[in-house]
Amino acid sequence: MHHFHYRQNELYCENLPLAQLAQHVGTPCYVYSHATLMHHFKVFDEAFSDVPHLTCFAAKANSNIAILKLFGSLGGGVDIVSGGELFRARQAGIPADRICYSGVGKTPEEIDYALKEDILLFNIESSQELAAINKRAGQVGRKARIALRVNPDVDPKTHPYISTGLKKNKFGIDIDGALKEYERAKSLDNIEIVGVDCHVGSQLTEITPFVDALQRLCLLIKRLKDLQIDIKYLDLGGGLGITYDQEAPPHPREYAQAILQQLEDLPCTLIFEPGRVIVGNAGILITQVLYTKKTPSKNFVVVDAAMNDLIRPSLYGSYHHIQPLRKTNQESEIVDVVGPICESGDFLAKDRSLPTVQAGDYLAVMSAGAYGFTMSSNYNSRPRAAEILVKDDRFYVIRERETWQDLTKHERIPDFV
Ligand SMILES: Cc1ncc(COP(=O)(O)O)c(C=O)c1O
């Protein structure tokens, strides 16, 4: 479900015509629908309303502070993977006790910052990280609340780059060695064990991998109980997929039902770290056609957005539906939609059937709300796009377009040059 729809051949976001917006703010720009964001967060969160739980939105999917604040206002927390994301979460007013910290490579500086803020918990990914957090917590006179991120060795059946719960992946602690690691954690002076965590991958379109992982975690929690280690939080990560093209992922309610069925009377507060399912279809990227170009073998539509703005097609071969902001009666043709970057890997769509467009037309790249802006870069010295939040018939610039001055503002020329 989302609020991007045609009315008399004009694409609207909620009650705002998008061509008008694009003319006003320029392109490329990311546009998010407030109503869709709210709806998606609530549907996910309410699916677990019968049990104690905390929905920690995965900031990596979309870290704009306006969006983090919106979810915070609905009672959500944030799942972070860096000091920068912690900073953003705090800027957005997310209470520290609703922040959990994942990631395999937390630096000493980041650990100290999270300890100072007194976040809810660290999801620990290795023995050395556990030792480092214990040491630093001791130095600042605190106890660090931790969960071990367990790698349950289940196949999430997703793209290899976003699959994380297999033995060969760099994430988590092997489930077979987890008991030993928990016993070690229990012996450390500055560590308080509070949870078990896992995240098996992203863009999952089936329920089975979630259930398989959960069954393994429940067994682990029972074994931990025998060792007098009580688990307060069970963090099941994120990963629920969305429809980009023909995928039919489970609805959050089906997902919740499957999870809750497995849990029986486990006395834990559940933590979830959804990203894509909340924001993916709540955002689009608007781009303008610069040129059209026919070669003996291909038709190209050259647009002003590129792989630096949306890297998913180039990086994962991902599909994003593309449609014009103004529908015409033009015949369709097969085209590659490409950006201005000097790489053949710079494309938004390949061999795609699109109504014939011309220079100046606007296109909407759909389902770009997750891992869109957050994965963008300045490659080819292209300023990053603006981000716009639409509410009803009004729009709010929640991140200004970068300028050429922004590109060089952190650079220095030494005297000898
Ligand atoms: C630890 C962790 N939690 C949550 C997420 C969010 O995943 P998704 O956006 O698929 O819900 C990710 C993404 O890969 C992750 O690595």
Side-chain angles (χ1 to χ4, degrees):
M1 194 292 294
H2 59 73
H3 289 83
F4 296 95
H5 293 294
Y6 284 105
R7 269 189 224 159
Q8 283 151 6
N9 296 327
E10 282 267 345
L11 190 64
Y12 276 67
C13 175
E14 304 190 10
N15 288 313
L16 188 76
L18 286 169
Q20 200 178 307
L21 172 70
Q23 260 154 21
H24 201 87
V25 300
T27 53
C29 65
Y30 277 92
V31 179
Y32 310 113
S33 153
H34 177 261
T36 313
L37 292 166
M38 300 270 288
H39 178 75
H40 286 179
F41 185 91
K42 285 185 187 167
V43 164
F44 189 96
D45 196 54
E46 284 166 11
F48 293 97
S49 57
D50 286 348
V51 294
H53 74 281
L54 178 62
T55 302
C56 289
F57 173 69
K60 65 173 77 64
N62 191 318
S63 59
N64 189 290
I65 55 174
I67 288 177
L68 300 184
K69 187 168 170 110
L70 182 68
F71 298 145
S73 74
L74 298 174
V78 170
D79 168 53
I80 58 164
V81 287
S82 69
E85 286 188 355
L86 174 54
F87 182 76
R88 285 178 172 280
R90 297 297 282 147
Q91 289 273 303
I94 306 297
D97 63 1
R98 288 196 227 150
I99 297 176
C100 53
Y101 190 174
S102 310
V104 292
K106 303 173 186 83
T107 66
E109 191 189 10
E110 290 175 321
I111 293 168
D112 288 354
Y113 180 25
L115 285 168
K116 183 170 122 300
E117 294 293 303
D118 201 17
I119 62 166
L120 177 63
L121 58 88
F122 291 86
N123 287 324
I124 304 270
E125 304 238 7
S126 66
S127 304
Q128 290 191 6
E129 188 196 339
L130 177 62
I133 291 180
N134 178 54
K135 183 170 158 209
R136 301 205 80 86
Q139 281 166 356
V140 295
R142 283 194 189 256
K143 265 196 171 227
R145 286 176 292 276
I146 64 111
L148 294 191
R149 175 170 175 181
V150 172
N151 185 327
D153 193 27
V154 297
D155 185 356
K157 301 189 181 88
T158 185
H159 190 285
Y161 289 8
I162 50 176
S163 144
T164 56
L166 281 166
K167 258 193 165 72
K168 64 179 179 188
N169 297 134
K170 69 178 175 183
F171 298 97
I173 291 168
D174 178 40
I175 191 150
D176 300 325
L179 274 185
K180 232 169 84 197
E181 207 56 48
Y182 269 104
E183 285 194 291
R184 201 167 81 81
K186 195 179 168 193
S187 73
L188 298 175
D189 288 342
N190 312 307
I191 293 290
E192 181 189 352
I193 299 170
V194 292
V196 170
D197 167 49
C198 89
H199 169 80
V200 293
S202 196
Q203 183 54 13
L204 272 67
T205 53
E206 291 174 28
I207 281 189
T208 320
F210 292 114
V211 171
D212 288 352
L214 178 57
Q215 284 171 343
R216 288 172 203 190
L217 295 192
C218 286
L219 214 61
L220 174 65
I221 291 174
K222 282 189 187 131
R223 295 211 177 115
L224 288 171
K225 199 165 173 52
D226 296 339
L227 298 173
Q228 271 83 50
I229 298 175
D230 283 326
I231 294 301
K232 220 155 97 186
Y233 297 103
L234 172 54
D235 182 340
L236 294 173
L240 199 54
I242 62 167
T243 303
Y244 286 99
D245 185 10
Q246 306 289 334
E247 307 92 330
H251 188 278
R253 273 193 294 272
E254 285 172 64
Y255 166 73
Q257 210 175 17
I259 299 289
L260 297 177
Q261 251 169 25
Q262 296 298 321
L263 283 177
E264 297 162 18
D265 50 359
L266 206 64
C268 288
T269 295
L270 297 179
I271 297 178
F272 297 96
E273 304 168 358
R276 193 186 310 269
V277 71
I278 310 280
V279 292
N281 283 321
I284 65 169
L285 173 66
I286 300 181
T287 183
Q288 189 170 32
V289 177
L290 296 172
Y291 308 105
T292 58
K293 170 173 167 173
K294 287 189 194 306
T295 70
S297 53
K298 285 254 179 192
N299 298 321
F300 291 102
V301 174
V302 184
V303 297
D304 66 359
M307 66 191 284
N308 76 297
D309 300 300
L310 179 66
I311 202 174
R312 299 190 69 259
S314 306
L315 186 62
Y316 312 125
S318 308
Y319 177 94
H320 284 265
H321 186 59
I322 298 184
Q323 55 192 16
L325 294 196
R326 286 201 171 111
K327 263 191 194 165
T328 60
N329 294 325
Q330 296 288 337
E331 294 281 300
S332 286
E333 56 179 357
I334 306 292
V335 298
D336 280 11
V337 181
V338 301
I341 281 185
C342 301
E343 304 243 358
S344 294
D346 176 28
F347 60 88
L348 298 175
K350 282 209 157 176
D351 300 319
R352 187 70 63 81
S353 173
L354 268 191
T356 302
V357 292
Q358 56 186 27
D361 288 353
Y362 291 115
L363 297 174
V365 183
M366 306 303 290
S367 313
Y371 307 100
F373 185 89
T374 48
M375 290 181 88
S376 67
S377 76
N378 291 122
Y379 187 40
N380 275 206
S381 289
R382 290 169 49 83
R384 261 177 283 224
E387 291 181 286
I388 313 293
L389 182 63
V390 170
K391 183 170 189 276
D392 194 17
D393 59 355
R394 304 195 62 171
F395 73 88
Y396 303 83
V397 178
I398 57 171
R399 193 180 204 274
E400 287 175 17
R401 181 180 310 288
E402 287 179 355
T403 63
W404 288 330
Q405 284 71 27
D406 289 331
L407 293 175
T408 54
K409 83 176 169 206
H410 297 297
E411 296 175 24
R412 303 287 177 266
I413 302 177
D415 289 347
F416 60 83
V417 177

